[in-house]
């Protein structure tokens, strides 16, 4: 299958962005982002495409590097000046396994979708922030995030302006993508409301469906979000497609070490998993 064969081109005619249908899809996605910080494009990948992505994810999952521990909503070490009950000092558990870009073979349908120029052009049109580039990090540009029983991602704000994710497989229970849209802004941290999210008393938590095949374009810098703990034996698979408005941005070596267990990427995707 070619990458565009995996995508529902009738609903999402991304190879003809000037068409009336594409223009409507783009306008609708922009409205969703303005209202809730996220555009949820359900059925972006066809059921046959999802089946191909699931088979691929199942074969890649054993290569995923596990990381876990505790983190804060701000993804940084808090300074001691904050009181111990402050959101910046609130530690939460996380656990996730990641397959890095350098390990994903050229034949992977996930990789083919990421590398299809039509997909990038469509996302660029929706975000409307000028030219977009594939993230330049050899490990971080494209990830398969694998989450199993007990894995979760703590409430956090992203350090990037946007994240594009592709839902591949749901867990039996849990693994929901929960979000409180636009809870903070560049001018106002709104710690009182953030505290309510962290202690479970915030009234306006939205759960986004993320049915397999959904493409989610999400602005996470100002919208706090989490992945709730996974229950059951079925793995949750999500593809994370990274872009940047600059062509040269890469991850720090520390982040690579934590997330992928190595600093130096493979030159080409290895055919067999190297011994540890
Ligand atoms: O796995 C997901 O659905 C979201 C991941 C996420 O929030 C992140 O990578 O920052
Ligand atoms: Fe995030």
């Amino acid at each position: 299958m070619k990458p565009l064969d995996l995508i529902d081109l009738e609903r999402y005619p991304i190879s003809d962005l000037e068409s009336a249908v594409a223009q409507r899809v783009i306008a609708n996605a922009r409205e969703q982002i303005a209202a809730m910080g996220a555009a949820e494009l359900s059925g972006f990948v066809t059921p046959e495409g999802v089946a191909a992505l699931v088979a691929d994810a199942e074969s890649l999952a054993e290569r995923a590097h596990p990381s876990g521990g505790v983190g804060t909503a701000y993804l940084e070490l808090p300074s001691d000046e904050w009181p111990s009950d402050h959101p910046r000092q609130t530690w939460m558990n996380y656990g996730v396994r990641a397959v890095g870009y350098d390990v994903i073979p050229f034949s992977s349908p996930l990789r083919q979708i990421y590398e299809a120029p039509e997909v990038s052009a469509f996302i660029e049109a929706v975000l409307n922030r000028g030219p977009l580039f594939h993230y330049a990090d050899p490990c971080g540009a494209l990830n398969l995030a694998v989450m199993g029983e007990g894995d979760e991602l703590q409430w956090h704000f992203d350090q990037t302006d946007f994240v594009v994710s592709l839902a591949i497989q749901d867990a039996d229970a849990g693994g929901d993508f929960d979000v409180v849209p636009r809870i903070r802004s560049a001018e106002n941290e709104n710690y009182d409301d953030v505290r309510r999210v962290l202690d479970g008393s915030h009234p306006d938590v939205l759960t986004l469906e993320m049915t397999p095949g959904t493409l989610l374009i999400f602005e996470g810098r100002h919208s706090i979000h989490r992945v709730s703990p996974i229950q059951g034996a079925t793995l949750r698979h999500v593809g994370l497609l990274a872009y940047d408005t600059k062509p040269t941005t890469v991850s720090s070596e520390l982040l690579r070490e934590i997330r992928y267990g190595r600093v130096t990427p493979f030159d080409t995707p290895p055919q067999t998993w190297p011994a540890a």
Side-chain angles (χ1 to χ4, degrees), residues 75 153-154 156-160 163 177 218 220 223 225-226:
L75 306 184
L153 219 52
Q154 88 274 15
H156 67 279
F157 297 101
D158 292 338
Q159 290 181 329
T160 52
V163 170
F177 188 81
F218 180 64
S223 297
H225 56 284
R226 70 157 182 181

Side-chain angles (χ1 to χ4, degrees), residues 40-159:
E40 214 179 348
L41 306 174
S42 64
F44 185 78
V45 173
T46 63
E48 299 75 36
V50 170
L53 287 169
V54 168
D56 180 53
E58 289 293 313
S59 77
L60 286 171
E62 67 188 47
R63 299 183 166 202
H65 176 76
S67 52
V70 290
T72 71
Y74 300 88
L75 306 184
E76 63 187 22
L77 289 175
S79 125
D80 289 341
E81 78 192 48
W82 302 105
S84 59
D85 65 344
H86 192 275
R88 288 203 179 255
Q89 291 278 13
T90 305
W91 296 91
M92 294 162 278
N93 292 327
Y94 76 94
V96 62
R97 314 168 203 174
V99 180
Y101 189 36
D102 58 334
V103 184
I104 300 177
F106 299 114
S107 60
S108 155
L110 179 62
R111 183 166 185 145
Q112 293 189 359
I113 288 174
Y114 180 59
E115 293 179 349
E118 294 87 349
V119 172
S120 305
F122 172 64
I123 292 166
E124 186 173 284
V126 169
L127 286 168
N128 202 19
R129 295 166 175 268
L132 277 196
F133 302 90
H134 286 130
Y135 196 42
D137 193 86
C139 301
L142 173 67
N143 277 193
L144 174 69
V146 179
M147 297 174 78
E149 178 110 54
D151 283 344
E152 65 184 301
L153 219 52
Q154 88 274 15
W155 285 109
H156 67 279
F157 297 101
D158 292 338
Q159 290 181 329

Side-chain angles (χ1 to χ4, degrees), residues 220-245:
R221 195 188 278 284
H222 297 137
S223 297
I224 197 166
H225 56 284
R226 70 157 182 181
V227 178
S228 63
I230 311 293
Q231 297 160 35
T234 309
L235 297 174
R236 175 189 192 264
H237 293 303
V238 167
L240 297 170
L241 290 62
Y243 302 86
D244 203 277
T245 48

